[in-house]
Amino acid sequence: MDPQKTPVILGLEGTAHTAGISVVKGSEILINKSTTYLPTQGGIHPREAADYLSKHYPLLLQEVINELSINLKEIDAIAFSRGPGLGPCLRITATIARALALYLQKPLIGVNHCIAHVELGRMITPARDPVVLYVSGGNTQLIAFLNQKYRILGETLDVAIGNALDALGRSLGLSHPGGPNIEREASEGKKLLLLPYTVKGMSFSFSGAVTAAQRLINVESVQDICFSFQEYTFSALAEATERALSCTKKPSVLLTGGVAANMRLRQMIQNVADEQGVEFHVVPKHLAGDNGAMIAMAGTLMYKVGEFVEIIKSSVRPRWRTDQVKVSWL
Ligand code: AMP
Ligand code: MG
C-alpha cells in the first residue's frame, strides 16, 4: 500500500431502503448508482426491503461494471455499510461486499453509516470540523468530533425527523416518501397551527407533533398542517443546533442526510449559522440521502490508516452508534 496514492474504493450502501454502489477516488466520484425500495403501503418492512436489495444488487453491480471507466482490478478495497440499520438489509449488503472482496482479492472495510454521511460532507464541502446536523429517515443526530470520536451531542428521543415526515405524509394521503410532498404542500400553507414543541438540552422529540398534526386532519387544510409541522419540528432542530454551536465553539455547521434536501430546513440552519457567526455547509441534494459514494469516501479515509476487517469477523452491527466508533483516521 502506497500511502501517497489516492486509493480507488468501491462502496456499498444498504442499511434500509436504498441499494447503492459507487466507486470513488478521493473526492472524485467515478460512478454512483442506486435504487430505492418504495413500500406499496405503510412504512418500510425489513424483510421486503431486504428482498428488494437482494434482487437489485446484481443488476446494479452489472450496470456499474458495464459503465465504469476503469478496470475492476484498479479497485483497492471494498467498503460496505456495516451498521446501524435493518438487520436483514445489512446482511444482504455484507454478503455482496464479502463476495466482491474475495473475488477481487482486496481488503474489506466496515463503515458506520452515520459517520459516512459526515465524512462525505467533510470531503465534498469546505466543512472540516463542523457541528453536524444529520437528519434522515432512520436517524436524527447532532454530532461533533472530540478526542478520537464523533460525539452525539443530541439526538431524537423517539422517531427520526424523516420518519416523522413520512408517517404524517401517509396519514395525509401523500405518497412515500412524505418529506418532499410535505415540503411542496407546506409552501402553500399560511396559518401556524399550535403543535407540541419538544427540545431537551440538545435533544428533541417529534412523535407528539406527529400525533397532534394527525388530529388536525379534516379540521385544518393539508397545506397549513404541513407548514406548521415543518415550522415546529425544524425550529426544534434549529434551537438544538444553535445550542451545540454555542457549547462547542466549532467554526461551521454541516447539514446532511435525506431531509437536508428540504429548503425550509436549510434556510433555518443557515440563519442559525449566520447568527452564531459560523460557516454553513450543506451536501448537494443528490448526495443528501443514502448513497454508495458516502460509504466509499469514509472507506477511503479508513483505507489510509489500514482500518480493515477480516471477512470472518465482519458480522453486521444493526445498533452501531456513532460514538462507538474509534476514529483512527482523524
Ligand atoms: P435517508 O434516510 O438519509 O436516505 O433520507 C430519507 C428521508 O429523507 C425520507 O424520510 C424522506 O422523506 C426525507 N426527505 C427527502 N427529501 C426531503 C425533502 N425535500 N424534505 C423533507 N424530507 C425529505
Ligand atoms: Mg442515512
Side-chain angles (χ1 to χ4, degrees):
M1 191 171 86
D2 174 2
Q4 299 305 319
K5 182 180 161 261
T6 305
V8 177
I9 308 290
L10 183 144
L12 290 161
E13 159 59 32
T15 52
H17 46 69
T18 298
I21 306 178
S22 178
V23 179
V24 308
K25 187 170 186 182
S27 58
E28 186 191 351
I29 298 175
L30 303 181
I31 196 161
N32 187 31
K33 297 238 166 213
S34 67
T35 173
T36 297
Y37 154 79
L38 286 176
T40 42
Q41 65 180 108
I44 295 173
H45 187 291
R47 173 48 59 200
E48 278 181 17
D51 285 348
Y52 179 91
L53 297 195
S54 66
K55 206 175 286 169
H56 285 80
Y57 267 129
L59 307 170
L60 212 55
L61 190 57
Q62 191 61 59
E63 277 182 40
V64 167
I65 292 170
N66 291 349
E67 294 174 34
L68 190 61
S69 52
I70 59 163
N71 194 296
L72 278 186
K73 291 199 181 95
E74 291 177 58
I75 291 170
D76 292 301
I78 307 298
F80 74 105
S81 55
R82 192 177 184 186
L86 304 173
C89 300
L90 293 172
R91 282 189 286 277
I92 299 282
T93 306
T95 304
I96 309 260
R98 292 179 198 123
L100 276 172
L102 281 171
Y103 175 69
L104 296 171
Q105 293 284 298
K106 297 293 175 184
L108 189 63
I109 302 173
V111 174
N112 178 288
H113 173 94
C114 307
I115 289 180
H117 275 288
V118 176
E119 295 302 5
L120 173 126
R122 289 201 321 116
M123 222 176 236
I124 64 168
T125 78
R128 289 296 165 268
D129 183 22
V131 161
V132 182
L133 178 59
Y134 164 42
V135 282
S136 76
N139 304 280
T140 306
Q141 297 179 339
L142 269 167
I143 302 166
F145 186 75
L146 179 75
N147 292 341
Q148 297 324 118
K149 281 192 176 168
Y150 279 111
R151 312 282 165 174
I152 302 173
L153 305 174
E155 61 188 320
T156 180
L157 300 172
D158 43 45
V159 296
I161 182 64
N163 188 297
L165 289 162
D166 295 343
L168 178 61
R170 274 196 298 281
S171 305
L172 289 166
L174 303 172
S175 61
H176 185 89
N181 294 317
I182 288 186
E183 178 173 26
R184 194 191 58 243
E185 297 292 337
S187 67
E188 314 258 304
K190 289 181 185 67
K191 189 160 91 178
L192 189 64
L193 310 165
L194 189 65
L195 293 175
Y197 176 86
T198 316
V199 178
K200 295 184 179 178
M202 284 179 263
S203 292
F204 21 75
S205 121
F206 304 113
S207 60
V210 174
T211 308
Q214 283 168 334
R215 290 205 181 113
L216 295 172
I217 295 172
N218 296 328
V219 179
E220 302 286 350
S221 74
V222 172
Q223 290 79 10
D224 288 339
I225 294 174
C226 292
F227 168 70
S228 306
F229 189 79
Q230 283 200 166
E231 292 304 301
Y232 271 88
T233 56
F234 293 174
S235 296
L237 291 169
E239 182 189 330
T241 303
E242 185 161 40
R243 196 160 290 144
L245 284 167
S246 165
C247 287
T248 59
K249 303 281 182 269
K250 295 281 187 190
S252 58
V253 54
L254 170 67
L255 183 59
T256 186
V259 186
N262 188 288
M263 296 313 287
R264 180 61 181 138
L265 180 61
R266 288 178 180 216
Q267 187 184 40
M268 280 199 201
I269 303 303
Q270 167 92 63
N271 289 346
V272 166
D274 290 349
E275 277 169 24
Q276 292 287 317
V278 303
E279 292 170 19
F280 171 69
H281 301 293
V282 57
V283 297
K285 272 192 182 188
H286 70 284
L287 295 171
D290 295 349
N291 62 80
M294 68 190 210
I295 303 299
M297 286 189 192
T300 300
L301 299 171
M302 294 170 77
Y303 180 92
K304 288 182 176 169
V305 293
E307 196 63 60
F308 306 126
V309 58
E310 283 174 56
I311 286 185
I312 192 85
K313 293 181 183 159
S314 66
S315 60
V316 300
R317 295 176 169 171
R319 297 186 178 277
W320 201 13
R321 280 174 64 78
T322 306
D323 54 6
Q324 288 174 327
V325 179
K326 185 161 184 303
V327 178
S328 53
W329 57 92
L330 269 178

